[in-house]
C-alpha cells in the first residue's frame, strides 16, 4: 500500500483549497481582461477584483477601500515600513521593531538602518512575548513607525497587538502589524486592534502564492514603492494579478465560513501531538508561550538531536515539517527567533516546527507518533553528546 504523506508545514505554506483552484481557473477562462480597460471585458475583470477586495475586507472587518493588493506578505511589509518612513520626509526617522520578526521586516529595517534611519530592535521574553511597556519606553519624538508581528511564524507566540496599538496611538505613532500568520487563522477584527497597517498573505490561508494585501487605515499617509500606473490607489501600481486576487478573495471567503470552527479543531490535533510527544519522548522542551499561541503551531527541541536530521528522517517517511521559517531553510546557523528567546545554539539547532492546518486529520498525529520516537532514539544513540 502506498505510504500516505503527512503535511505538517502549514506555517510555510498551505495546500490551495480546491474551491480556490476552481475560482482561479474560471477567472482565467472567462474574466481574463485588464481591470483598467473601460470596455466590457475589462469591466468584468474589475467587478471580480472588487468582489475579492470585499471578501478580504470582510475577513479583516474593514472597508474594501482600505485594502491594497500586493504580491504577498513580504511586499506588504516593505510597503508599510518604507512607505511610512519615506512619507516622513526626513523629519520622523525612527522605527521600532523586535528581534523575533520575520526577515521581511528585519531585513527591511536593517536596510533602513544602513540608509540613514534610526532603528530600535526590542528583545522579547523567554516565551517570545513582548512587554508593551518596553515599546512605550522605546518611543522617541522622531519615531515614525512601530512594526510588530501579530503571530510569530516559528513559535506561534501571539503578541498583545491591541495593547501595543493603544501605546502607539497614545504616542501618535503609526502602528504596523505583520499579521501573515494570524489573518484567516485566528479570529480578530481590525477595529479592535488600534492598528494603522496590517500585512496579509494568501498562501498561508489556502490561497495561491504571489498575492497578499496591506490594510491601510483610512487617513494613514504612505508613499508608494512602485511607480507607473494608478492601480491600487497609486500605492501599488502595475496591472493587477487578477487570478491571484480572485483566488485570495475566495480563500478569505472560505476562512470566514470556518473562522469559528477551524481553530479549535486544529488546536485539538496540535495539543494531542504535543501531549503525546512529551509523554513518549524524554528531554523534549516546548518553545514559545504555551498560553498565548496560535492553534496550529508546535515548536519543540529534542535534546541531543540535530533538527535537520530529524526533518530528513521524517521526510523519508513522508512526514513534512520544518526546522523554522521556510524562508531561511537551507541557510546555516540556528533560527534567529530561537536564539532571541534565549536558547543555546545547541538547543536551537535541535528544534522542529510542526504546523497544522485545515486538511490535517487525527491519523496524521498517529503517524508522527509511530515514526518520530524511533528517529529520535536512533539519532540520540548516534549522537556524541
Ligand atoms: C510572519 C510572516 N511575515 C511575512 C511572510 C512573507 O509572506 P510571503 O511569503 O507572502 O511573502 C511570512 C511567510 O512565511 C511570514 O510567516
Amino acid at each position: 500500500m502506498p505510504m500516505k504523506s503527512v503535511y505538517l508545514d502549514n506555517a510555510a505554506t498551505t495546500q490551495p483549497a480546491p474551491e480556490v483552484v476552481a475560482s482561479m481557473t474560471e477567472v482565467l477562462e472567462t474574466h481574463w481582461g485588464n481591470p483598467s480597460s473601460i470596455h466590457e471585458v475589462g469591466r468584468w475583470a474589475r467587478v471580480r477584483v472588487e468582489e475579492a477586495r470585499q471578501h478580504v475586507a470582510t475577513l479583516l472587518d474593514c472597508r474594501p477601500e482600505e485594502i491594497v493588493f500586493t504580491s504577498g506578505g513580504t511586499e506588504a511589509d516593505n510597503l508599510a515600513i518604507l512607505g511610512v518612513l519615506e512619507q516622513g520626509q526626513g523629519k520622523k526617522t525612527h522605527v521600532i521593531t523586535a528581534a523575533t520578526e520575520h526577515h521581511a521586516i528585519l531585513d527591511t529595517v536593517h536596510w533602513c538602518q544602513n540608509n540613514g534611519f534610526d532603528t530600535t530592535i526590542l528583545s522579547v521574553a523567554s516565551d517570545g512575548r513582548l512587554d508593551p511597556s518596553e515599546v512605550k519606553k522605546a518611543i522617541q519624538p522622531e519615531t515614525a513607525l512601530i512594526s510588530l508581528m501579530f503571530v510569530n511564524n516559528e513559535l506561534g507566540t501571539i503578541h498583545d497587538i491591541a495593547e501595543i496599538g493603544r501605546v502607539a496611538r497614545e504616542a501618535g505613532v503609526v502602528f504596523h502589524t505583520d499579521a501573515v500568520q494570524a489573518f484567516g487563522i485566528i479570529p480578530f477584527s481590525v477595529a479592535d486592534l488600534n492598528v494603522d497597517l496590517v500585512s496579509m498573505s494568501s498562501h498561508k490561508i489556502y490561497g495561491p502564492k504571489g498575492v497578499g494585501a496591506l490594510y491601510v487605515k483610512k487617513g494613514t499617509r504612505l508613499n508608494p514603492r512602485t511607480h507607473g500606473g494608478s492601480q491600487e490607489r497609486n500605492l501599488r501600481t502595475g496591472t493587477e494579478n487578477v487570478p491571484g486576487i480572485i483566488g485570495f478573495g475566495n480563500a478569505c471567503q472560505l476562512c470566514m465560513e470556518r473562522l469559528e470552527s477551524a481553530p479549535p479543531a486544529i488546536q485539538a490535533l496540535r495539543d494531542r501531538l504535543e501531549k503525546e510527544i512529551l509523554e513518549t519522548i524524554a528531554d523534549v522542551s516546548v518553545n514559545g508561550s504555551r498560553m498565548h499561541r496560535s492553534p496550529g503551531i508546535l515548536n519543540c527541541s529534542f535534546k541531543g538531536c540535530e533538527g535537520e536530521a530529524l526533518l530528513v528522517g521524517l521526510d523519508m517517511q513522508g512526514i513534512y515539517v520544518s526546522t523554522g521559517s521556510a524562508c531561511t531553510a537551507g541557510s546555516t546557523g540556528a533560527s534567529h527567533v530561537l536564539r532571541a528567546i534565549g536558547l543555546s545554539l545547541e538547543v536551537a539547532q535541535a528544534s522542529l516546527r510542526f504546523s497544522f492546518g485545515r486538511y490535517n486529520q487525527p491519523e496524521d498525529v498517529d503517524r508522527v507518533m509511530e515514526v518520530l520516537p524511533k528517529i529520535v532514539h536512533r539519532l540520540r544513540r548516534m549522537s556524541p553528546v
Side-chain angles (χ1 to χ4, degrees):
M1 211 171 69
M3 188 171 65
K4 188 183 167 291
S5 64
V6 175
Y7 186 76
L8 288 175
D9 203 11
N10 288 277
T13 199
T14 51
Q15 180 183 350
E19 297 91 330
V20 166
V21 177
S23 71
M24 293 177 72
T25 309
E26 187 260 327
V27 83
L28 279 165
E29 286 172 354
T30 55
H31 295 143
W32 41 262
N34 185 328
S36 300
S37 299
I38 42 184
H39 49 64
E40 192 183 6
V41 181
R43 289 201 306 273
W44 267 116
R46 170 61 56 208
V47 167
R48 300 296 300 271
V49 166
E50 296 316 315
E51 275 172 10
R53 198 186 307 278
Q54 180 62 64
H55 295 319
V56 180
T58 302
L59 187 53
L60 196 65
D61 194 18
C62 68
R63 297 173 224 193
E65 59 273 22
E66 292 174 309
I67 297 296
V68 175
F69 286 115
T70 65
S71 66
T74 302
E75 189 188 334
D77 286 345
N78 274 262
L79 177 59
I81 296 172
L82 301 172
V84 168
L85 288 181
E86 285 182 358
Q87 217 288 322
Q89 295 173 340
K91 289 185 211 102
K92 294 249 181 182
T93 53
H94 178 233
V95 55
I96 299 171
T97 189
T100 47
E101 292 290 314
H102 190 272
H103 279 291
I105 297 290
L106 281 182
D107 290 358
T108 309
V109 168
H110 284 141
W111 184 91
C112 294
Q113 200 169 18
N114 293 334
N115 284 274
F117 293 98
D118 295 321
T119 61
T120 298
I121 301 185
L122 298 168
S123 357
V124 297
S126 58
D127 65 353
R129 291 199 98 210
L130 190 71
D131 183 347
S133 69
E134 294 297 318
V135 180
K136 192 172 179 168
K137 275 191 246 160
I139 297 174
Q140 306 171 6
E142 297 77 31
T143 306
L145 177 72
I146 298 170
S147 177
L148 293 165
M149 73 201 319
F150 198 143
V151 170
N152 184 274
N153 49 306
E154 294 191 36
L155 303 169
T157 300
I158 303 175
H159 281 152
D160 189 350
I161 291 301
E163 180 55 20
I164 298 167
R166 202 187 56 73
V167 166
R169 192 141 294 172
E170 228 172 63
V173 176
V174 178
F175 181 38
H176 165 244
T177 188
D178 173 339
V180 166
Q181 297 286 347
F183 177 68
I185 297 169
I186 55 174
F188 70 90
S189 159
V190 80
D192 301 332
L193 290 185
N194 304 315
V195 288
D196 302 296
L197 300 159
V198 178
S199 298
M200 296 156 269
S201 178
S202 149
H203 73 105
K204 310 290 184 182
I205 60 162
Y206 317 93
K209 290 165 191 53
V211 59
L214 182 68
Y215 157 81
V216 183
K217 188 181 164 69
K218 191 168 182 275
T220 309
R221 295 171 68 177
L222 204 63
N223 271 21
R225 303 293 310 145
T226 47
H227 304 278
S230 56
Q231 293 89 348
E232 300 299 293
R233 293 187 292 116
N234 279 317
L235 280 171
R236 205 292 188 164
T237 59
T239 304
E240 298 88 338
N241 170 7
V242 178
I245 289 171
I246 301 316
F248 182 25
N250 189 246
C252 290
Q253 248 183 315
L254 296 170
C255 283
M256 192 70 204
E257 288 162 14
R258 294 165 174 77
L259 205 52
E260 297 303 323
S261 61
I266 289 172
Q267 182 168 338
L269 293 179
R270 191 275 313 271
D271 288 352
R272 206 187 111 211
L273 180 66
E274 178 177 281
K275 182 168 175 286
E276 295 192 10
I277 287 178
L278 293 174
E279 281 173 2
T280 316
I281 309 175
D283 292 321
V284 179
S285 47
V286 176
N287 300 318
S289 170
R290 286 171 83 177
M291 189 150 61
H292 303 282
R293 185 166 47 155
S294 178
I297 297 184
L298 168 63
N299 188 312
C300 27
S301 298
F302 297 82
K303 195 175 171 197
C305 298
E306 273 286 335
E308 294 273 334
L310 281 171
L311 183 148
V312 171
L314 289 169
D315 186 17
M316 284 164 69
Q317 297 294 324
I319 299 170
Y320 310 123
V321 300
S322 159
T323 49
S325 153
C327 314
T328 48
S331 57
T332 51
S335 138
H336 70 283
V337 173
L338 298 180
R339 296 290 277 153
I341 61 168
L343 299 194
S344 67
L345 189 63
E346 192 194 323
V347 176
Q349 282 177 335
S351 306
L352 278 188
R353 178 188 68 187
F354 303 88
S355 49
F356 289 84
R358 182 186 297 168
Y359 301 121
N360 287 118
Q361 296 294 324
E363 302 80 75
D364 296 343
V365 176
D366 300 338
R367 176 83 187 121
V368 174
M369 291 314 296
E370 196 182 303
V371 170
L372 181 65
K374 292 181 203 149
I375 301 177
V376 173
H377 183 66
R378 181 167 47 81
L379 291 175
R380 282 183 177 162
R381 249 195 357 230
M382 286 159 44
S383 164
V385 284

